[in-house]
Amino acid sequence: MSVLKSQRGESTVQFLDTARELEIYTIKTCAKFPKRYMFLITKDIVALASAVYNNAKAANSIYVTTADDARLRREYVTKANCTLQCLLSQIDIAHEFVKTTDANKPIKSTVWEQWATLITTEAKLLASLKERDKKRYGNLS
């Protein structure tokens, strides 16, 4: 039976879906940037977005049974968060350089806003995951 939309809550693995959505959005957006920025800016931005998703996926793939497993999972979540912050910095730099696409169409402010929204949402989800894991695996020795 389906759950009513008004009664739906946040999934515990929403951080994976958001990280995936962030990577897809990043690739689509960077593909519109002028080609002259590919090796200077966009290649690194796409690599960072991919690393966020890969680290989140790696953290989720760990089945925690020992304290070492919990530590490794926490490390992957921390790496995902650090990479996310680096991604935000690189997007800010790209915003300074890239004002139009190759077809001289301006890049709308909504594009940058959507990107920032995805990043802040993912950062909140990763922080929430760390807190849940702390409560859940804190008693492992």
Side-chain angles (χ1 to χ4, degrees), residues 29-58:
T29 303
C30 285
K32 296 175 186 174
F33 285 2
K35 300 298 179 222
R36 66 181 173 270
Y37 293 118
M38 180 180 291
F39 294 108
L40 299 172
I41 298 173
T42 57
K43 186 177 127 191
D44 292 336
I45 290 174
V46 170
L48 287 169
S50 180
V52 169
Y53 181 54
N54 290 337
N55 285 319
K57 191 86 166 164

Side-chain angles (χ1 to χ4, degrees), residues 25-35 37 42 98 100-105 107 111:
Y25 187 82
T26 300
I27 292 169
K28 285 180 179 179
T29 303
C30 285
K32 296 175 186 174
F33 285 2
K35 300 298 179 222
Y37 293 118
T42 57
V98 183
T100 61
T101 63
D102 265 344
N104 285 329
K105 292 181 182 176
I107 297 175
V111 170

Side-chain angles (χ1 to χ4, degrees), residues 57-129:
K57 191 86 166 164
N60 193 57
S61 70
I62 296 172
Y63 182 73
V64 178
T65 55
T66 65
D68 287 336
D69 294 340
R71 181 191 48 76
L72 185 60
R73 179 178 165 101
R74 185 174 54 250
E75 285 178 11
Y76 277 118
V77 173
T78 302
K79 284 181 186 179
N81 189 41
C82 291
T83 308
L84 192 65
Q85 299 309 314
C86 292
L87 175 62
L88 183 60
S89 298
Q90 291 302 306
I91 290 171
D92 184 46
I93 290 170
H95 187 256
E96 292 296 318
F97 287 98
V98 183
K99 304 291 185 195
T100 61
T101 63
D102 265 344
N104 285 329
K105 292 181 182 176
I107 297 175
K108 297 178 182 176
S109 63
T110 55
V111 170
W112 304 103
E113 290 169 7
Q114 175 65 23
W115 225 342
T117 300
L118 283 169
I119 290 171
T120 55
T121 302
E122 182 65 10
K124 288 176 186 175
L125 290 169
L126 289 173
S128 174
L129 175 65

